[in-house]
Amino acid sequence: MSANAPEIGQRIVAAGIETNYHDVGSGAPVLLIHGSGPGVTAWANWRLVLPELGKTCRAIAPDMLGFGYTERPAARDYSIDAWVAHAVGLLDALGIERTDLVGNSFGGAIALALAIRHPQRVRRLVLMGSVGVPFEITPELDAVWGYQPSLAAMLDLLDIFAHDRGLVTDELAELRYQASIQPGFQESFAAMFPAPRQRWVDALASTEADIRAIKHKTLIIHGRDDRVIPLANSLTLNRWIDDSRLHVFGRCGHWVQIEHSADFNHLVGHFLAD
């Protein structure tokens, strides 16, 4: 891929891993952690969010270990421990002591775990369509993690992700498909979540006691019609995190930040500025 492609940002060594990341705007930092769909990159996940948040804060979005254009070290163990260490390593490399955190789906589980393990590094927390609590894997999440590369398969996944397929373009499908067939992409993706996949849902979950102990002010966001991650997850998080608020978007699937980008950006921007 061309070095001028929008998916390619800046590079820095974080936790020993050469990391591709986007750094937009200035002011108070907010770290955005993407989901775990095939072909995902920080740019694909947050491209409608970064320029807006960047107007009022410093928005930082890395390709997490094993994803996108971040280095893929040989024999790397993909685990919540490794992903949290990578995120903290990025903060350290950028000299950021404390940040707001926004986590999408898989990224929500990483954000939760980071807030639990390193509470002093986090100011406020945003969880969107989040994993991180126990739940029975949906057939749709099983299909996402079991993806085998083809444009047809990627189009099928977009039908799963979005409530209104018209809002998710063929251009995005092509972007994600082409990303999924870059050298090393599918190999690392397949290594993360091999069947049976319920175990990976369980491995990403934090304990109820740890989640209940979170003191950070938290915004929880979910699409009412999400078929990938159940709305019940966010209801659970809202019950367990004392200082939390829940916003549910009707006529919305798993990608609130794409299907309702303007409202998402307003909601998150207001919450972080409050």
Side-chain angles (χ1 to χ4, degrees), residues 10 12 21-32 49-50 52-61 90-91 93-102 272:
Q10 302 179 52
I12 196 169
Y21 73 104
H22 303 267
D23 195 337
V24 179
S26 60
V30 53
L31 180 65
L32 299 106
V49 176
L50 284 167
E52 292 304 311
L53 281 186
K55 293 176 180 177
T56 55
C57 62
R58 181 184 179 188
I60 301 161
L90 178 62
L91 295 178
L94 293 173
I96 296 171
E97 290 297 321
R98 192 164 179 247
T99 186
D100 292 323
L101 271 182
V102 180
L272 297 182

Side-chain angles (χ1 to χ4, degrees), residues 12-17 19 31 33 60 62 64-65 80-99 101 110-122:
I12 196 169
V13 176
I17 299 156
T19 301
L31 180 65
I33 306 179
I60 301 161
M64 295 299 291
L65 171 66
I80 196 163
D81 293 338
W83 284 312
V84 170
H86 185 215
V88 172
L90 178 62
L91 295 178
D92 290 343
L94 293 173
I96 296 171
E97 290 297 321
R98 192 164 179 247
T99 186
L101 271 182
I110 308 309
L112 265 178
L114 197 161
I116 288 165
R117 299 176 188 195
H118 305 278
Q120 75 283 0
R121 305 299 297 267
V122 179

Side-chain angles (χ1 to χ4, degrees), residues 1-2 8 11 39-41 63 66-73 78 149 175-190 192:
M1 177 169 285
S2 167
I8 306 298
R11 299 194 76 79
V40 72
T41 63
D63 288 350
F67 294 95
Y69 297 92
T70 284
E71 178 190 10
R72 289 170 165 76
Y78 295 117
L175 173 73
R176 293 289 290 261
Y177 168 64
Q178 290 297 333
S180 77
I181 59 173
Q182 292 290 313
F185 274 45
Q186 180 61 18
E187 290 81 358
S188 59
F189 183 71
M192 287 178 202

Side-chain angles (χ1 to χ4, degrees), residues 147-156 170 173-175 177-178:
Y147 166 83
Q148 293 297 317
S150 75
L151 182 57
M154 186 61 76
L155 286 164
D156 286 343
D170 290 344
E174 181 69 24
L175 173 73
Y177 168 64
Q178 290 297 333

Side-chain angles (χ1 to χ4, degrees), residues 158 161-170 172-173 255 258-259:
L158 293 192
F161 279 122
H163 174 67
D164 181 354
R165 178 66 176 78
L167 296 175
V168 183
T169 65
D170 290 344
L172 177 60
W255 280 344
I258 292 174
E259 294 190 80

